[in-house]
């Protein structure tokens, strides 16, 4: 091992394979997960000093198995002391065969993802468990990234395991009838992780922006496992096409730059090319879904050399499609932006007027920000100023709030 | 999303509670704390000392001036607060309703500003 980064990459790639091999053999997802974390930690401490073993996976499985069996022995001893139960049979204390990490390692990773995004868990617990069990991050790293105390994150992880056990979650693939819905939950968790990192990337929160790279890494992994799934491909494309704008989306002081004002020469062409290729392929060959459409919209933006080259009629058509297959007030609000760009601000304001009756949106900063923008386009400076102020008062995201306050002040 | 759950009270109210009622109220709040620490939703819960111990600091011409008493000049004063990290506003309101004091008076719920969230 030459440097810390490549060691960390290796360990995090091996983490779900090692965990999969253990759970497959022993069951007891929760205990195996703890044992794998300890083995990863031991490797991170020992390998730089003592050299990397010939088979890192085998080493990790052996160490994790030893931790697990130690724990089983001490629990068995405790049970013997407490109520004279028989100890764990010796056969259960034997390490798995050396080549076991290879067999089914990929399927194991997929099964792990499904288990970590179990429907019995809340979104924060699904996220925490996915990052630990599949991503190989430590509890401290996850806690730091989400800005909560480490003790809180440890509780989330152990509670998530408990809930999985209580609800009978098994280390098996969900039955085919449930698979689509379970996969949707996995995609949502990965997208939440991505957004948490991407939207925080403006500031000095490097640990948080790492979350978007981690989400992309895990989604790439999922894409390799399910190359024929259009929505997995769509989500990966959406992440890449969004990540491509990372360098242009904020000033050095962390203040936000809206899409229209971004320096497009800073966009990452390689990511755009990859994202466009992925979404084009998925749209042509798989069942249509909301991530593919959102990726297609991101692709249209990314392919415009200048903001005035943006193909708004195509974006409008895509939003109409998205609203048909996955209707929500937020999608309608996004469509309103495209409507205003194609048919003028009055048409956009009309559509927004209908949305204001929706309670969920009436108190959402984005509705007022969009209305402010339309009023501005229509030449109503005073109205725009008031709407920007209203938007700022409903925003809870600090960079967004500062941006909206600045827009209001500029219109003074 | 993080939310601050805030309890206010006043001297009259606190003095109207018998020692036994106070003990029960504290036990009920402790049970709340324990339950939601375990779910990973409650990040911290803090009870504040009596209002006679509150001081207010203002720096004028570079010099700190410390005055006795809280900043807000009202009969009601801050009594305790919790910080929670939850999925949604709805969940924050549910937790507020589960705080024992919500059944006595009320609990105030404030979103805490954050760095990340939906894209613009």
């Amino acid at each position: 091992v030459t440097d810390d980064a490549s060691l960390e990459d290796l360990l995090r790639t091996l983490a779900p394979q090692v965990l999969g091999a253990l759970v497959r053999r022993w069951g007891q997802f929760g205990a195996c997960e703890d044992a794998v974390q300890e083995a990863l930690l031991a490797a991170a401490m020992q390998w730089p000093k003592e050299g990397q073993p010939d088979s890192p996976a085998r080493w990790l499985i052996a160490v994790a198995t030893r931790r697990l069996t130690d724990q089983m022995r001490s629990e068995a001893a405790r049970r013997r002391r407490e109520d004279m139960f028989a100890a764990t049979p010796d056969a259960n204390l034997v390490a798995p065969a050396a080549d076991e990490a290879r067999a089914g390692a990929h399927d194991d990773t997929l099964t792990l993802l499904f288990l970590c995004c179990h429907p019995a868990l809340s979104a924060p617990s699904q996220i925490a468990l996915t990052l630990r069990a599949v991503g190989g991050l430590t509890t401290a790293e996850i806690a730091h990234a989400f800005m909560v105390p480490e003790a809180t994150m440890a509780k989330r992880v152990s509670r998530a395991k408990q809930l999985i056990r209580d609800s009978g979650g098994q280390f098996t693939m969900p039955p085919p009838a449930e698979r689509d819905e379970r996969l949707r939950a996995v995609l949502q968790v990965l997208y939440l992780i991505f957004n948490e990192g991407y939207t925080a990337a403006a500031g000095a929160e490097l640990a948080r922006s790492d979350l978007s790279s981690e989400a992309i890494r895990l989604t790439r992994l999922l894409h390799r496992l399910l190359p024929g799934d259009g929505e997995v491909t769509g989500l990966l494309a959406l992440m890449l096409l969004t990540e491509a704008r990372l360098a242009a989306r904020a000033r050095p002081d962390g203040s936000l730059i809206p899409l229209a004002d971004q320096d497009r020469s800073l966009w990452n062409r390689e990511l755009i090319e990859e994202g466009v290729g992925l979404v084009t392929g998925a749209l042509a060959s798989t069942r249509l879904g909301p991530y593919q459409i959102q990726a297609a919209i991101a692709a249209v933006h990314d392919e415009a050399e200048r903001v005035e080259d943006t193909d708004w009629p195509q974006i409008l058509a895509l939003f109409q499609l998205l609203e048909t297959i996955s209707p929500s007030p937020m999608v309608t609000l996004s469509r309103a932006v495209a409507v205003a760009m194609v048919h003028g601000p009055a048409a956009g304001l009309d559509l927004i007027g209908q949305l204001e009756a929706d309670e969920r949106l009436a108190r959402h900063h984005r509705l007022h920000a969009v209305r402010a923008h339309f009023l501005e386009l229509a030449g109503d400076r005073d109205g725009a100023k008031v709407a920007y102020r209203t938007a700022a008062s409903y925003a809870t995201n600090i960079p967004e709030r500062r941006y909206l306050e600045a827009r209001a002040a500029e219109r003074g | 999303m993080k939310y601050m759950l805030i309890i206010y009270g006043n001297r009259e109210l606190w003095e109207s509670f018998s020692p036994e009622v106070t003990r029960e109220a504290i036990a009920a709040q402790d049970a709340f704390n324990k339950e939601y620490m375990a779910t990973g939703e409650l990040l911290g819960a803090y009870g504040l000392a009596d209002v006679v111990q509150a001081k207010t600091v203002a720096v004028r011409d570079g010099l700190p001036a410390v005055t006795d008493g809280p900043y807000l000049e009202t009969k009601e004063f801050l009594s305790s607060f919790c910080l929670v990290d939850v999925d949604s506003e709805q969940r924050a309101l549910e937790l507020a309703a589960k705080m024992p004091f919500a059944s006595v008076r009320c609990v105030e719920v404030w979103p805490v500003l954050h760095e990340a969230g939906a894209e613009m």
Side-chain angles (χ1 to χ4, degrees):
Chain A
V1 175
T2 49
D3 60 77
D4 290 351
S6 67
L7 173 59
E8 199 184 323
D9 285 351
L10 174 66
L11 290 177
R12 305 224 344 245
T13 307
L14 292 173
Q17 299 175 24
V18 172
L19 178 54
L22 252 74
V23 183
R24 187 183 275 277
R25 178 156 192 107
W26 306 101
Q28 304 190 42
F29 169 71
C32 291
E33 208 276 325
D34 283 333
V36 171
Q37 279 275 328
E38 287 181 33
L40 292 172
L41 194 64
M45 312 263 280
Q46 289 179 29
W47 294 1
K49 275 183 283 178
E50 296 164 17
Q52 190 176 309
D54 292 337
S55 168
R58 209 180 303 162
W59 190 98
L60 288 166
I61 290 176
V63 171
T65 303
R66 208 176 306 136
R67 299 286 155 108
L68 186 67
T69 48
D70 283 351
Q71 195 192 331
M72 288 162 97
R73 277 201 192 92
S74 73
E75 267 181 29
R78 182 175 55 77
R79 278 201 302 270
R80 263 201 309 276
R81 284 196 303 274
E82 282 173 7
D83 48 24
M84 308 293 280
F85 269 158
T88 309
D90 279 351
N92 286 358
L93 299 174
V94 177
D99 57 352
E100 209 156 303
R102 302 295 323 146
H106 282 185
D107 294 341
D108 283 351
T109 301
L110 189 58
T111 310
L112 272 182
L113 269 171
F114 278 119
L115 195 60
C116 292
C117 301
H118 195 278
L121 307 183
S122 68
S125 296
Q126 291 174 331
I127 289 169
L129 200 55
T130 300
L131 287 173
R132 225 178 92 122
V134 190
L137 291 173
T138 65
T139 303
E141 287 169 327
I142 304 168
H144 183 64
F146 285 89
M147 295 192 293
V148 301
E150 192 178 336
T152 301
M153 200 47 88
K155 288 271 169 43
R156 281 184 198 170
V157 170
S158 65
R159 182 176 163 82
K161 293 180 188 171
Q162 177 82 44
L163 282 171
I164 287 178
R165 195 161 55 228
D166 293 351
S167 59
Q170 296 288 320
F171 187 68
T172 51
M173 283 297 275
E178 287 174 28
R179 211 164 294 173
D180 267 5
E181 201 185 318
R182 297 287 299 274
L183 182 60
R184 264 204 302 281
V186 172
L187 294 179
Q188 197 190 350
V189 164
L190 295 175
Y191 195 38
L192 283 173
I193 295 171
F194 176 80
N195 273 325
E196 189 72 25
Y198 184 78
T199 54
E205 291 289 345
L206 285 178
R208 292 166 63 71
S209 65
D210 283 351
L211 285 175
S212 54
S213 324
E214 180 60 15
I216 289 175
R217 188 179 76 87
L218 294 176
T219 309
R220 276 192 195 281
L221 180 64
L222 183 59
H223 176 58
R224 275 201 298 278
L225 300 174
L226 298 172
D229 188 286
E231 281 298 89
V232 175
T233 311
L235 178 61
L236 179 57
L238 175 58
M239 287 180 181
L240 296 174
L241 291 163
T242 309
E243 183 84 353
R245 303 183 209 125
L246 189 67
R249 67 179 291 275
R251 294 180 191 84
D253 66 0
S255 58
L256 293 178
I257 307 173
L259 196 54
D261 299 336
Q262 289 179 11
D263 175 356
R264 293 176 183 228
S265 70
L266 296 175
W267 289 1
N268 183 327
R269 294 289 140 200
E270 247 173 76
L271 291 181
I272 292 174
E273 213 170 291
E274 189 187 353
V276 169
L278 283 168
V279 69
T280 309
L283 286 170
S285 62
T286 67
R287 199 173 69 190
L288 193 62
Y291 286 118
Q292 292 166 70
I293 301 175
Q294 289 177 75
I297 293 166
V300 176
H301 281 299
D302 285 9
E303 286 184 311
E305 297 259 335
R306 300 167 308 162
V307 61
E308 53 271 34
D309 299 332
T310 308
D311 186 349
W312 284 106
Q314 198 188 343
I315 290 177
L316 177 55
L318 287 165
F319 271 121
Q320 279 163 343
L321 192 59
L322 183 59
E323 206 176 3
T324 312
I325 68 163
S326 173
S328 86
M330 271 318 216
V331 173
T332 310
L333 184 57
S334 301
R335 177 165 68 85
V337 176
V339 165
M341 297 311 287
V342 175
H343 301 297
L349 283 167
D350 261 4
L351 187 50
I352 284 199
Q354 297 163 30
L355 286 174
E356 274 166 351
D358 187 312
E359 246 179 66
R360 284 171 294 178
L361 268 192
R363 294 169 63 88
H364 198 289
H365 70 92
R366 190 143 192 258
L367 178 122
H368 299 281
V370 169
R371 196 155 56 87
H373 182 57
F374 292 171
L375 290 170
E376 206 176 355
L377 290 175
D380 179 356
R381 280 174 69 94
D382 292 344
K385 185 184 172 74
V386 173
Y388 275 125
R389 286 241 181 275
T390 309
S393 65
Y394 283 127
T396 54
N397 172 309
I398 295 167
E400 283 184 355
R401 189 164 124 135
R402 285 198 192 123
Y403 168 80
L404 294 165
E405 279 167 351
R407 297 293 290 218
E410 282 160 21
R411 258 112 227 116
Chain B
M1 283 287 295
K2 296 190 178 81
Y3 289 86
M4 184 98 118
L5 312 184
I6 304 170
I7 290 174
Y8 298 92
N10 59 58
R11 187 162 301 286
E12 203 184 329
L13 178 69
W14 300 139
E15 287 174 357
S16 73
F17 296 147
S18 68
E20 194 184 326
V21 168
T22 305
R23 252 196 317 277
E24 280 168 15
I26 291 171
Q29 182 61 43
D30 282 347
F32 171 94
N33 294 349
K34 210 170 155 204
E35 181 172 356
Y36 296 104
M37 282 282 182
T39 64
E41 291 170 301
L42 180 61
L43 304 185
Y46 307 89
L48 303 183
D50 191 279
V51 66
V52 298
Q53 297 194 52
K55 290 188 163 58
T56 305
V57 179
V59 178
R60 294 293 174 270
D61 302 321
L63 294 174
V66 180
T67 50
D68 284 337
Y71 171 66
L72 292 176
E73 292 173 2
T74 59
K75 198 175 130 210
E76 307 286 322
F77 47 82
L78 191 61
S79 164
S80 68
F81 61 92
C82 300
L83 192 61
V84 298
D85 185 14
V86 290
D87 264 350
S88 62
E89 184 189 60
Q90 192 199 335
R91 181 63 182 156
L93 298 176
E94 275 170 32
L95 291 185
K98 288 191 188 295
M99 281 176 74
F101 194 71
S103 303
V104 180
R105 285 284 167 96
C106 57
V107 174
E108 210 171 74
V109 180
W110 289 73
V112 177
L113 295 179
H114 55 92
E115 291 286 341
E119 208 199 348
M120 303 212 40

